[in-house]
Amino acid sequence: MRLTRQTNYAMRILMYCAANNDRLSRIPEIAAAYSVSELFLFKILQPLVENGLVETVRGRNGGVRLGRAAEQISLFDVVRVTEESFAMAECFENDAAECPLVDSCALNSALREALNAFFAVLSRYTIADLVAARPNVRQLLGIDMLVKRAPAA
């Protein structure tokens, strides 16, 4: 199973916001921290906002912040809203290949069990866990170098 680039950067956006919880985060800052385009991050932001993982604040001092506490956002929450398909094999698709075993296939059962185990592990970790694992995350992302702006509250 391989996660998309969008999911990877969705998690990074959330990690940035969690590490920068004392003020609003701006997309140009996040893009600079991760060396990616702002347009790419704006596209990723949409499903995060639609699903309440991120909130946007408009205006001159606007930006983005977590939609709920970092401790309440699991990695599975992020994967669920950013990945389009979890089909690990053709037989997971609705228009499955013509296979005589499709309704009673041991491979299908094994892959489904593996996928459920993957989801269970992702459910055990939160955005807060990822940020806490790197005590110097603010320094690594360049957050402490930024000029103070409006508080996130």
Side-chain angles (χ1 to χ4, degrees), residues 20 34 37 49:
N20 191 33
Y34 294 121
S37 80
V49 171

Side-chain angles (χ1 to χ4, degrees), residues 42-59:
F42 275 116
K43 288 178 184 177
I44 295 168
L45 201 59
Q46 183 178 357
L48 299 178
V49 171
E50 288 172 357
N51 289 277
L53 300 179
V54 171
E55 294 177 343
T56 58
V57 177
R58 298 196 184 276

Side-chain angles (χ1 to χ4, degrees), residues 44-110:
I44 295 168
L45 201 59
Q46 183 178 357
L48 299 178
V49 171
E50 288 172 357
N51 289 277
L53 300 179
V54 171
E55 294 177 343
T56 58
V57 177
R58 298 196 184 276
R60 185 168 168 234
N61 292 319
V64 297
R65 63 180 168 223
L66 295 180
R68 56 186 192 242
E71 296 82 11
Q72 297 176 352
I73 303 173
S74 74
L75 301 187
F76 177 67
D77 293 334
V78 183
V79 169
R80 185 177 43 80
V81 302
T82 56
E83 291 291 323
E84 288 184 23
S85 171
F86 296 106
M88 295 179 70
E90 213 176 335
C91 51
F92 274 60
E93 304 282 339
N94 287 338
D95 55 349
E98 293 184 29
C99 174
L101 301 176
V102 74
D103 291 329
S104 61
C105 180
L107 174 61
N108 194 322
S109 296

